[in-house]
Amino acid sequence: MKPENTALVLIEFQNDFTTPGGTLHDAVKSVMEQSDTVDHAVAAADAVRKAGGSVLHVPISFAPGYGEITSHPYGILAGVVSSTSFVRGGWGAEICEELTPVDGDIVIEGKRGLDAFGSTNLDFVLRSKGIETVVLAGFLTNCCVESTMRSAYEKGFEVITLTDAVGATSPEEHANAITYDYPMFSKPMTTEEFTSALTSEDALADSSRGY
């Protein structure tokens, strides 16, 4: 893991999740408070920028009426539609104030489903920039973050998941994904462990060998 070849991918840090008044905020509030999700994501983003890495934001949004997806959604997308979440142009779909993109950040457009690679140019951007290590944070721990983690792993990237910079709709789902799924497809780390590794040559060497 070299900072210049490392990208932090921030998934759906949008008002509907992160901010009081957001349509889904109450659903993730307890895990966010337990993990200090947003604060840890901010710390990770600051560290990556300072080290010379890349910060990518991957919001999800839909046109009013959700015409981009089936008229009979089920599963997680049914919940998005029924709660009228992430409507393009609305406050709820905006990236939260704490993680407002800064100069040099990249905003990936086109996310309509769970996997951040699925309907976007994320893979193209990462490979164009020579990214080898993908670091994931965001929502939901066991949904979009996990889906993106699995794809990144299969695409050959080194994948790190920040266990205290993700959030889910229940502590049980959150803990289950981190305990049982994340180690299969990534190198789970706390934000402190990651930022320490990013600034320590010895730690970086150990991390690249999987220690």
Side-chain angles (χ1 to χ4, degrees), residues 62 65-66 69-70 73 76-85:
F62 302 91
Y66 300 94
I69 59 176
T70 175
I76 189 68
L77 288 179
V80 169
V81 174
S82 66
S83 61
T84 320
S85 300

Side-chain angles (χ1 to χ4, degrees), residues 114-125:
L114 311 185
D115 178 2
F117 288 96
S119 56
T120 73
N121 65 346
L122 176 59
D123 186 68
F124 173 81
V125 171

Side-chain angles (χ1 to χ4, degrees), residues 51 59 190 199:
T190 66
T199 56

Side-chain angles (χ1 to χ4, degrees), residues 77-152:
L77 288 179
V80 169
V81 174
S82 66
S83 61
T84 320
S85 300
F86 307 119
V87 176
R88 189 180 311 131
W91 171 83
E94 293 176 3
I95 294 172
C96 65
E97 182 178 356
E98 296 91 335
L99 285 162
T100 300
V102 303
D103 288 345
D105 288 3
I106 298 169
V107 178
I108 300 294
E109 300 177 353
K111 188 175 187 297
R112 301 288 183 268
L114 311 185
D115 178 2
F117 288 96
S119 56
T120 73
N121 65 346
L122 176 59
D123 186 68
F124 173 81
V125 171
L126 292 173
R127 296 191 190 281
S128 294
K129 294 180 68 64
I131 300 301
E132 298 171 358
T133 300
V134 173
V135 185
L136 301 176
F139 300 89
L140 295 166
T141 309
N142 58 325
C143 186
C144 293
V145 176
E146 182 167 332
S147 295
T148 305
M149 170 191 70
R150 289 170 180 255
S151 287

